[in-house]
Amino acid sequence: HSPRWVHIQIDGVSHHGLTFVIDRNSEAYTGKLKDKAIIKIIKTAKGHYGSSLDYLYQTAESFRENNITDRKIFKLEAQLKKS
């Protein structure tokens, strides 16, 4: 995956945003996964900057603070907090 700067619109205002794009031909690309598989990965995966679980929780909190709605992130967060 590689970082890319993109143009985004927030409340009609143009901004630059950093996103990460994976090459679908990469062996790291899993394709679509069911929530159960994603949750299993998030519970155990860790990278150079910490755990996937912490990353998900921090992302969800940041989205709430910035009034960004991401149903998938919030759904996964709720499911992980229950488990």
Side-chain angles (χ1 to χ4, degrees):
H1 61 282
S2 27
R4 301 274 163 95
W5 286 99
V6 296
H7 294 283
I8 59 174
Q9 292 280 328
I10 300 173
D11 295 330
V13 179
S14 184
H15 298 273
H16 290 292
L18 184 64
T19 188
F20 292 87
V21 180
I22 191 160
D23 178 353
R24 291 183 180 198
N25 294 317
S26 166
E27 60 186 52
Y29 179 65
T30 64
K32 291 191 178 200
L33 297 173
K34 295 188 179 206
D35 286 355
K36 189 174 182 177
I38 295 170
I39 287 169
K40 183 177 179 182
I41 292 167
I42 289 172
K43 282 182 168 182
T44 59
K46 292 183 178 146
H48 294 291
Y49 301 107
S51 74
S52 293
L53 186 61
D54 286 343
Y55 179 78
L56 178 96
Y57 288 158
Q58 290 171 12
T59 299
E61 183 59 28
S62 177
F63 283 2
R64 276 191 288 282
E65 289 171 359
N66 291 284
N67 297 317
I68 298 170
T69 300
D70 187 311
R71 290 185 195 117
K72 183 71 168 188
I73 293 289
F74 296 152
K75 181 180 176 187
L76 290 169
E77 177 191 37
Q79 290 174 328
L80 282 157
K81 285 185 174 180
K82 286 181 186 176
S83 62

